[in-house]
Amino acid sequence: MLSIFNIGKTLRKVKLRNQQLNLYYPQDIYDPIARREMKAILMRFNDLFYEAYPEALKGKEPNFIEVQPRKHSKKYEVQRDLMLYKSQKVRKKELAKIEEFLNLKYNVEEQIAYYSDILQKSMYTKRQMREEDYSEYFPQLFEKRINALEAIELRCLEKLEHLMKDKKVFEQSIETLLTHPQSFWEEAGRLISDSVKQVVDTIDQSFRKK
């Protein structure tokens, strides 16, 4: 049984498909058989595109930031690492800070996986669109959708670049706390960039809400 959400989604897809068919293959120019063939092709084209870019059904921009992961599920790994460091006689002061950086690192890794998945899905969709040669039947729509997917990929790549830098800072901070703790406390302000501080604040707030 279809949910209200799925029914609404299906109705939007049908409405958009009919609008697109009337725009690119108007019935006063093309015969019913040709339009029926184009309708079937358009259905496959739309299903492929909306799977990668569901917000397009409502004419919206992708809301990556709003729905990106805010916390990780690796509590066991954090505690395992802390037990290991504790057995190495690491002080409580450093352990507390290391725990903070471990949580930040794992959160960032969740976000890296999230954006990597979106990137791969977009690239796969572009390949499928080209292999099935939708540009031959709907050239304007094809170009528009290729541009939309490439914009998504650019945003993902930019986000991934920042996340990889943040992850490296967290890993370096943990290493410094383990090997040269005094150096870390002396250089803490320099080690943590403004962008990383924003990540710290965001994730700290998410932990307080749990």
Side-chain angles (χ1 to χ4, degrees), residues 166-181:
D166 288 345
K167 180 185 176 185
K168 186 175 181 180
V169 170
F170 299 146
E171 291 173 340
Q172 289 177 337
S173 298
I174 292 171
E175 181 64 24
T176 304
L177 281 163
L178 290 171
T179 57
H180 301 91

Side-chain angles (χ1 to χ4, degrees), residues 126-161:
K126 283 200 313 183
R127 287 198 301 271
Q128 289 295 106
M129 285 166 54
R130 288 179 172 129
E131 287 175 5
E132 297 184 32
D133 205 16
Y134 290 115
S135 62
E136 178 181 347
Y137 306 105
F138 298 94
Q140 298 99 326
L141 194 57
F142 177 85
E143 183 178 2
K144 182 180 179 180
R145 290 179 172 180
I146 288 290
N147 291 338
L149 291 172
E150 288 180 344
I152 289 174
E153 291 170 19
L154 180 60
R155 289 179 63 185
C156 286
L157 288 170
E158 290 173 346
K159 189 67 178 178
L160 284 168
E161 181 180 2

Side-chain angles (χ1 to χ4, degrees), residues 8-21:
K9 181 179 178 181
T10 300
L11 291 175
R12 283 193 298 272
K13 290 175 71 172
V14 171
K15 181 179 179 179
L16 279 174
R17 185 189 66 212
N18 291 338
Q19 291 174 348
Q20 292 158 351
L21 186 65

